[in-house]
Amino acid sequence: MSRIGNKAVEIPGSVKITRDGGMINCEGKEKLSIALPPLVDVEIGDKELNVKRLKETREAHAMQGLARSLINNMVIGLTQGFKKELTIVGVGYRAQVAGSKLTLHVGYSHPVEFEAPKGIKITVADNTKLTVEGADKQVVGEVAATIRRVRPPEPYKGKGIRYADEHVVIKEGKSVG
């Protein structure tokens, strides 16, 4: 039984939710939309939104929880936004932002350039602390993962790009014996 799916999504005054066929559209500072998963329907009220199952199957229960979480993430993204923080570790490793273009100098023979997608804001503090912000939780996470993939932390010295709360286990090097 989906306990998450049965909870109502509170709609703040700054967010407007509409339904257009199989799409759920949210408007606030930006516009976000998702396709409604199968086996569920939504009831949009003035102050809250409820997700209802069309069948009483295991899959319908799962889709109800999924739909409720996706809609709730859109509402949170439009009111508060989402943020991922990354840290660059390594001598000479640094990052710069010019407009929406991120330039990473992380030990390669050339700088790596990354263009931020629409709706995503990347900021750099102290040349080594990156912050990825936006309203769409999935896109924020994907951009942060793409940046981390440029130079993931290596296990011997820990050099690379890591999430701010990530713990990298450092391996012991070869012992001469």
Side-chain angles (χ1 to χ4, degrees):
M1 182 165 92
S2 177
R3 293 191 176 107
I4 298 289
N6 290 330
K7 291 182 182 178
V9 177
E10 292 185 28
I11 304 171
S14 62
V15 176
K16 182 182 174 197
I17 299 180
T18 57
R19 182 177 180 171
D20 183 26
M23 299 293 287
I24 302 295
N25 302 313
C26 286
E27 274 187 70
K29 298 180 279 189
E30 298 179 33
K31 287 185 179 181
L32 298 175
S33 63
I34 60 160
L36 195 62
L39 304 174
V40 295
D41 194 24
V42 295
E43 294 176 357
I44 302 171
D46 291 339
K47 295 286 182 190
E48 65 181 23
L49 176 139
N50 290 307
V51 180
K52 301 292 180 191
R53 294 184 295 274
L54 298 176
K55 294 182 180 178
E56 288 298 321
T57 62
R58 185 180 178 102
E59 187 180 6
H61 283 274
M63 291 298 138
Q64 180 189 21
L66 171 70
R68 193 256 181 214
S69 292
L70 291 174
I71 293 167
N72 191 49
N73 285 341
M74 285 195 305
V75 170
I76 291 171
L78 291 174
T79 54
Q80 303 167 7
F82 290 101
K83 177 169 51 168
K84 289 271 187 182
E85 294 177 347
L86 297 136
T87 306
I88 300 174
V89 177
V91 176
Y93 287 13
R94 63 188 187 281
Q96 298 170 328
V97 173
S100 65
K101 185 178 279 190
L102 173 69
T103 305
L104 298 167
H105 299 274
V106 285
Y108 295 120
S109 61
H110 59 282
V112 179
E113 294 184 346
F114 179 78
E115 186 72 34
K118 184 175 176 261
I120 298 295
K121 181 183 173 201
I122 300 175
T123 56
V124 176
D126 301 333
N127 290 331
T128 59
K129 292 178 179 35
L130 286 96
T131 305
V132 180
E133 297 175 285
D136 193 340
K137 184 176 187 177
Q138 192 259 330
V139 175
V140 168
E142 187 62 39
V143 168
T146 303
I147 293 170
R148 184 184 181 276
R149 239 178 269 131
V150 169
R151 178 70 87 175
E154 55 97 10
Y156 293 102
K157 291 186 179 179
K159 293 169 33 173
I161 303 171
R162 62 176 81 171
Y163 295 110
D165 58 351
E166 181 178 3
H167 177 72
V168 177
V169 178
I170 305 297
K171 290 183 178 179
E172 189 176 322
K174 289 183 179 180
S175 61
V176 179

